[in-house]
Amino acid sequence: MKITVIGCGRWGSFIAWYLDKIGHEVTLYGRKESKNMQQFLTERGNGLLTISDRMKLETDLSKAVDAECIVISINAQGLRSLLAELKEYPIKNTYFVLCMKGIEISTGERLTQIVEETMDSSNPVAVWLGPGHVQEFTKGIPNCMVIDSNNDAAKEYLVKEFSSELIRFYYGEDLIGNEVGAAAKNVIGIAAGMLDGLQLSSLKGALMSRGTREIARLIKAMGGNELSAYGLCHLGDYEATVFSEFSHNRKYGEMYVKKEPYGLLAEGYYTVSALVNLGKKYEVDLPICNAVYEVLYEGKDAKEVLDSLFLRSIKKEF
């Protein structure tokens, strides 16, 4: 398949590396001013992986869109503006695969909804979600992921084309649940980092259990299957987010409560704002999401906010 990957950051470049490795014709697109793209143009690598001579690097979007499949891996809040650029080109009958996790803050929309309302209806839209880190995949350590779409034929085709010994794909059965769950796990990752920073790592078990429950409630209220929160998109991704040294969101939370510089915002920073809004809209109690929001956006003391979680009224677990 002829595939273009838009986004040359850590995850986008891995997706391109992986798809090239399993035999597809791959182009990696990045903007001219991107430091990541400049590094690939000069070194064919980024310190985490080296791309093959087969892979094409492109900085001209008009040339990059000539593909059977467009994979997007960028900051979720920038998706709408990217699609506005893509809409200038006659893109039809092209698979759109979103390898990114988030909810648009301004609208509360899932990312597939943004694509479907922006691009031509002939373009099937899918998501590629689940656990894994570049540093482990490139060492040959396998993992399981999920592809979901409202278009069953597209979902089956993409699973067939993208599967390998390195990544085993499952067919997703709940696009709402998978998208919301995947976005929300980054927030739980930040919370986990905060626990690490406060030397309360033993509470991660409770965080995982209660975090999954509150996201399951939100998924159900939004019309999805609450069991999706217990699948690969959310609970299945916790090991890679809540515990891993490679997790950007976990590290961000840890550095934040330690008041140490980290340099980059994590996707969960944006997502928590969107989730808090969704919680209000659907009248769902999201205590952990609200706690993370209070620390990041309202400047409240992380230890005090954590204590308030434990002072909540006693209730049945389920």
Side-chain angles (χ1 to χ4, degrees), residues 229-254:
Y230 299 88
L232 287 168
C233 75
H234 189 75
L235 180 60
D237 205 353
Y238 274 6
E239 188 280 332
T241 304
V242 174
F243 294 99
S244 176
E245 61 179 308
F246 303 128
S247 171
H248 184 38
N249 288 279
R250 191 209 62 77
K251 191 67 174 178
Y252 175 81
E254 180 182 359

Side-chain angles (χ1 to χ4, degrees), residues 22-47:
I22 63 174
H24 295 290
E25 182 183 345
V26 180
T27 296
L28 177 61
Y29 168 81
R31 301 187 188 280
K32 273 184 182 178
E33 62 273 19
S34 164
K35 291 182 180 179
N36 292 326
M37 179 52 72
Q38 288 302 318
Q39 188 173 12
F40 277 113
L41 287 168
T42 56
E43 303 174 20
R44 303 292 293 185
N46 63 357

Side-chain angles (χ1 to χ4, degrees), residues 42-315:
T42 56
E43 303 174 20
R44 303 292 293 185
N46 63 357
L48 295 173
L49 54 82
T50 301
I51 59 174
S52 74
D53 293 334
R54 295 184 304 273
M55 192 187 302
K56 183 179 179 183
L57 296 173
E58 185 58 74
T59 59
D60 185 337
L61 192 58
S62 66
K63 296 177 181 177
V65 296
D66 179 22
E68 299 168 75
C69 176
I70 295 176
V71 178
I72 302 177
S73 178
I74 64 170
N75 184 297
Q77 304 308 316
L79 178 60
R80 193 177 291 274
S81 61
L82 170 65
L83 294 174
E85 293 182 61
L86 292 176
K87 197 169 175 58
E88 297 179 12
Y89 307 105
I91 303 173
K92 294 186 177 181
N93 301 307
T94 300
Y95 296 98
F96 274 78
V97 181
L98 305 180
C99 294
M100 45 202 286
K101 302 162 183 175
I103 304 288
E104 189 174 51
I105 296 174
S106 59
T107 64
E109 289 189 333
R110 293 176 287 110
L111 304 185
T112 58
Q113 290 178 299
I114 300 172
V115 178
E116 288 171 348
E117 68 188 35
T118 304
M119 306 305 293
D120 190 88
S121 60
S122 69
N123 300 308
V125 186
V127 293
W128 169 346
L129 306 166
H133 286 294
V134 176
Q135 295 92 330
E136 294 168 341
F137 279 130
T138 53
K139 291 178 182 177
I141 301 172
N143 217 321
C144 299
M145 304 187 82
V146 61
I147 288 178
D148 205 351
S149 173
N150 285 328
N151 185 317
D152 288 339
K155 177 168 53 181
E156 291 181 13
Y157 177 72
L158 291 168
V159 166
K160 176 174 170 275
E161 288 292 317
F162 291 175
S163 293
S164 74
E165 292 182 356
L166 188 60
I167 301 179
R168 174 179 177 172
F169 285 100
Y170 285 82
Y171 297 107
E173 297 179 304
D174 173 28
L175 191 57
I176 293 174
N178 278 317
E179 285 194 87
V180 173
K185 72 92 194 179
N186 284 331
V187 176
I188 304 301
I190 290 179
M194 290 179 175
L195 290 177
D196 286 334
L198 295 169
Q199 297 185 323
L200 295 170
S201 301
S202 61
L203 286 174
K204 285 184 181 180
L207 172 71
M208 290 163 54
S209 175
R210 301 316 304 165
T212 306
R213 281 302 299 145
E214 73 177 66
I215 300 308
R217 290 195 298 268
L218 179 61
I219 289 172
K220 183 178 180 179
M222 293 178 67
N225 184 343
E226 63 181 318
L227 291 178
S228 294
Y230 299 88
L232 287 168
C233 75
H234 189 75
L235 180 60
D237 205 353
Y238 274 6
E239 188 280 332
T241 304
V242 174
F243 294 99
S244 176
E245 61 179 308
F246 303 128
S247 171
H248 184 38
N249 288 279
R250 191 209 62 77
K251 191 67 174 178
Y252 175 81
E254 180 182 359
M255 294 295 99
Y256 189 91
V257 298
K258 287 182 174 180
K259 297 181 172 24
E260 295 179 9
Y262 186 51
L264 297 172
L265 283 178
E267 187 67 62
Y269 175 89
Y270 304 102
T271 302
V272 73
S273 178
L275 289 176
V276 167
N277 291 337
L278 288 174
K280 294 175 182 176
K281 177 180 178 179
Y282 291 97
E283 298 182 342
V284 176
D285 187 23
L286 303 174
I288 295 172
C289 292
N290 287 330
V292 173
Y293 180 88
E294 289 172 359
V295 174
L296 297 182
Y297 284 82
E298 298 178 357
K300 293 187 178 180
D301 180 77
K303 182 68 167 58
E304 290 180 5
V305 170
L306 179 65
D307 287 342
S308 72
L309 276 177
F310 282 87
L311 293 174
R312 284 163 53 86
S313 59
I314 298 171
K315 59 183 70 176

